[in-house]
Amino acid sequence: QVSPGLRTPRVPVWLCGVPGRHGVLFGTDSRLLSDWRAERVFHLYFYSGQQEQIQTARLTIDTHSHHWEEAPSEDACSPGKRCPALEMAIRTKWAGATVSWNGTEPFF
Protein backbone atom coordinates (compact mmCIF):
# COMPACT_ATOMS: atom_id res chain seq x y z
CA GLN A 1 0.00 0.00 0.00
CA VAL A 2 1.26 3.46 -0.92
CA SER A 3 1.56 5.88 1.97
CA PRO A 4 -0.62 9.02 1.89
CA GLY A 5 2.54 11.18 1.80
CA LEU A 6 3.46 9.73 -1.59
CA ARG A 7 -0.04 10.04 -3.02
CA THR A 8 -0.49 13.64 -1.87
CA PRO A 9 2.85 15.39 -1.34
CA ARG A 10 3.03 18.22 1.18
CA VAL A 11 5.36 20.28 -1.00
CA PRO A 12 5.55 20.47 -4.80
CA VAL A 13 7.95 17.89 -6.24
CA TRP A 14 8.71 17.02 -9.87
CA LEU A 15 11.06 14.38 -11.22
CA CYS A 16 12.76 15.89 -14.24
CA GLY A 17 14.49 14.31 -17.18
CA VAL A 18 16.14 17.17 -19.04
CA PRO A 19 18.61 16.22 -21.78
CA GLY A 20 21.56 14.47 -20.22
CA ARG A 21 20.52 15.26 -16.67
CA HIS A 22 17.91 13.75 -14.36
CA GLY A 23 17.00 15.33 -11.10
CA VAL A 24 14.41 16.58 -8.68
CA LEU A 25 12.78 19.99 -8.92
CA PHE A 26 11.04 20.92 -5.70
CA GLY A 27 9.68 23.77 -3.66
CA THR A 28 9.57 24.20 0.10
CA ASP A 29 6.39 26.30 0.22
CA SER A 30 3.37 24.03 0.63
CA ARG A 31 1.07 26.93 -0.36
CA LEU A 32 2.11 26.34 -4.01
CA LEU A 33 -0.12 23.25 -3.95
CA SER A 34 -3.25 24.96 -2.71
CA ASP A 35 -3.10 28.76 -3.07
CA TRP A 36 -2.66 30.33 -6.50
CA ARG A 37 -1.68 33.64 -4.85
CA ALA A 38 1.57 32.00 -3.69
CA GLU A 39 2.55 31.62 -7.34
CA ARG A 40 3.57 35.29 -7.79
CA VAL A 41 7.27 35.04 -6.85
CA PHE A 42 8.61 31.87 -5.32
CA HIS A 43 11.67 29.63 -5.16
CA LEU A 44 12.23 26.20 -6.63
CA TYR A 45 15.29 24.04 -6.11
CA PHE A 46 16.92 21.60 -8.52
CA TYR A 47 19.21 18.79 -7.50
CA SER A 48 20.62 16.21 -9.89
CA GLY A 49 23.02 14.32 -7.63
CA GLN A 50 25.65 14.42 -10.35
CA GLN A 51 29.26 14.86 -9.37
CA GLU A 52 29.68 18.30 -10.96
CA GLN A 53 26.72 19.76 -9.05
CA ILE A 54 28.21 20.92 -5.78
CA GLN A 55 25.02 22.35 -4.29
CA THR A 56 21.32 22.52 -5.00
CA ALA A 57 20.44 25.19 -7.59
CA ARG A 58 18.06 27.80 -6.15
CA LEU A 59 15.79 29.30 -8.81
CA THR A 60 13.53 32.30 -8.35
CA ILE A 61 10.35 32.09 -10.43
CA ASP A 62 8.39 35.26 -11.19
CA THR A 63 5.08 34.57 -12.91
CA HIS A 64 3.98 38.21 -13.24
CA SER A 65 7.03 39.93 -14.68
CA HIS A 66 6.99 41.52 -18.11
CA HIS A 67 9.63 41.32 -20.79
CA TRP A 68 10.14 45.11 -20.70
CA GLU A 69 11.08 44.90 -17.00
CA GLU A 70 13.96 42.50 -17.64
CA ALA A 71 17.54 43.64 -18.12
CA PRO A 72 18.74 42.82 -21.67
CA SER A 73 21.64 40.74 -20.34
CA GLU A 74 19.25 38.46 -18.45
CA ASP A 75 17.14 37.53 -21.49
CA ALA A 76 18.70 34.12 -22.10
CA CYS A 77 15.66 32.80 -24.00
CA SER A 78 15.37 35.45 -26.69
CA PRO A 79 15.24 34.33 -30.34
CA GLY A 80 18.58 32.99 -31.53
CA LYS A 81 19.79 32.05 -28.04
CA ARG A 82 19.58 28.71 -26.29
CA CYS A 83 17.15 28.40 -23.41
CA PRO A 84 17.95 25.98 -20.58
CA ALA A 85 15.77 22.87 -20.76
CA LEU A 86 14.95 23.19 -17.06
CA GLU A 87 13.48 26.66 -17.68
CA MET A 88 11.38 25.29 -20.53
CA ALA A 89 10.12 22.54 -18.21
CA ILE A 90 9.19 25.12 -15.57
CA ARG A 91 7.30 27.12 -18.19
CA THR A 92 5.10 24.12 -18.98
CA LYS A 93 3.51 24.81 -15.57
CA TRP A 94 3.94 28.62 -15.44
CA ALA A 95 3.84 29.93 -19.01
CA GLY A 96 5.73 33.19 -19.52
CA ALA A 97 7.45 33.07 -16.14
CA THR A 98 10.93 34.50 -15.76
CA VAL A 99 13.50 32.29 -14.09
CA SER A 100 16.46 33.71 -12.18
CA TRP A 101 19.31 31.27 -11.55
CA ASN A 102 20.69 33.39 -8.68
CA GLY A 103 24.32 33.05 -9.73
CA THR A 104 24.20 29.36 -10.66
CA GLU A 105 25.32 28.50 -14.18
CA PRO A 106 22.17 27.47 -16.11
CA PHE A 107 21.88 23.81 -17.13
CA PHE A 108 21.57 23.36 -20.90
Side-chain angles (χ1 to χ4, degrees):
Q1 182 172 345
V2 177
S3 79
L6 291 175
R7 288 182 288 184
T8 308
R10 295 193 175 147
V11 294
V13 177
W14 297 272
L15 298 176
C16 298
V18 294
R21 189 178 302 254
H22 293 86
V24 177
L25 181 67
F26 62 96
T28 57
D29 187 355
S30 61
R31 294 178 308 143
L32 286 173
L33 295 172
S34 61
D35 186 0
W36 60 268
R37 291 177 294 247
E39 294 183 358
R40 169 66 170 92
V41 176
F42 56 95
H43 301 289
L44 293 178
Y45 302 87
F46 182 77
Y47 183 71
S48 69
Q50 294 187 2
Q51 185 175 356
E52 69 271 6
Q53 187 177 2
I54 298 168
Q55 63 184 17
T56 302
R58 180 177 173 260
L59 309 173
T60 302
I61 315 302
D62 185 348
T63 61
H64 287 78
S65 65
H66 303 292
H67 65 85
W68 57 84
E69 295 172 344
E70 297 176 16
S73 61
E74 295 177 9
D75 191 11
C77 294
S78 63
K81 293 187 179 180
R82 292 177 61 195
C83 185
L86 188 57
E87 285 187 32
M88 293 181 353
I90 290 169
R91 288 189 184 108
T92 63
K93 171 78 171 136
W94 295 284
T98 59
V99 179
S100 171
W101 288 77
N102 299 312
T104 302
E105 187 67 29
F107 306 132
F108 284 97

